[in-house]
Amino acid sequence: MVLGWSHCAFLDHPWATVTQALWQKYPNPFSSHVLSSDVLERYVDASGRLHTVRLFVKEGRLPRWGRAMLAVPQAMVVEVSVVDPAARSMTSVQRNLSHARLLLVEERQAVRPATATEAAGMTAAGWSVVRFANGEPAPMPAAAGGAADEGTVVVTEARIVSGAAWAGLRTRIEGFGLSRLKTNTVRSFKGLLHVIERVAGGLRHE
């Protein structure tokens, strides 16, 4: 069984600021679980798109029933991303290399400009859209207040799958992975907003 999950966040910041902050995301006060971040490869192709491969080492708390299966709580996670400045788009795929047979979590993320009107329309269409303001998540309002202000939409789609042989254990592991992913997503955006404020402050003083 494969669990799927999608999430959409609207940030009240320009696309250029958000993408710049993504490169400077670690460390931040909400990322104590990220032990290291390294660029393995980076190049610009003939079309001017920036390709980057990064490797993260992350550490997480395991439930009591999971500690017997993993002697080492750290995991290596690889991220492959493409930034197209002309189209103002950023896409990335992130997946764990460690413990992948026991639990594989793959996240695909798209970052692009959007207005509050569009984000509110996505909410009306049934999307789970969260507006992050003042460092905290809040539901999008039904009315598109501040619709003329351009922000950034971050769409995340994930799949969670366990290769455990026993169906009962497999279901439990996948459920844990989904629950942890949802919790970490909120923490991740809080950390990103913390860095965005720092980046935006620097841009204001340039």
Side-chain angles (χ1 to χ4, degrees):
M1 178 179 170
V2 179
L3 295 182
W5 183 68
S6 59
H7 177 273
C8 182
F10 178 78
L11 307 177
D12 286 306
H13 297 276
W15 177 84
T17 303
V18 173
T19 51
Q20 186 175 343
L22 282 168
W23 296 124
Q24 304 176 38
K25 187 176 177 182
Y26 305 113
N28 69 71
F30 302 92
S31 67
S32 59
H33 65 295
V34 181
L35 304 182
S36 65
S37 171
D38 296 287
V39 175
L40 301 183
E41 182 181 13
R42 176 170 283 167
Y43 66 93
V44 178
D45 66 20
S47 299
R49 296 176 300 180
L50 175 65
H51 297 252
T52 305
V53 180
R54 294 195 289 178
L55 182 69
F56 305 101
V57 176
K58 300 184 179 183
E59 184 175 48
R61 292 183 179 179
L62 296 172
R64 183 175 300 175
W65 54 265
R67 293 171 193 165
M69 292 181 284
L70 290 179
V72 180
Q74 290 92 12
M76 290 189 294
V77 178
V78 66
E79 177 193 77
V80 180
S81 64
V82 180
V83 178
D84 188 336
R88 293 203 296 171
S89 71
M90 177 178 182
T91 58
S92 65
V93 179
Q94 190 175 112
R95 67 191 300 271
N96 58 296
L97 300 177
S98 308
H99 322 306
R101 179 171 175 79
L102 187 65
L103 176 63
L104 172 67
V105 179
E106 182 180 88
E107 296 179 66
R108 295 180 178 271
Q109 195 169 80
V111 184
R112 60 178 177 79
T115 63
T117 297
E118 180 182 357
M122 293 172 74
T123 302
W127 277 81
S128 174
V129 184
V130 177
R131 185 174 193 157
F132 283 83
N134 300 319
E136 295 294 334
M140 284 294 299
D149 296 330
E150 184 182 86
T152 301
V153 163
V154 182
V155 178
T156 304
E157 295 179 294
R159 68 184 187 98
I160 302 99
V161 57
S162 172
W166 181 45
L169 179 60
R170 188 164 60 244
T171 299
R172 191 170 190 179
I173 292 173
E174 290 172 348
F176 165 77
L178 178 59
S179 176
R180 181 60 58 88
L181 176 62
K182 290 180 178 179
T183 300
N184 286 346
T185 295
V186 174
R187 185 169 61 176
S188 176
F189 275 104
K190 286 184 176 183
L192 177 60
L193 284 170
H194 178 86
V195 178
I196 284 174
E197 291 301 325
R198 186 178 68 212
V199 169
L203 292 175
R204 285 194 293 268
H205 289 88
E206 287 183 356

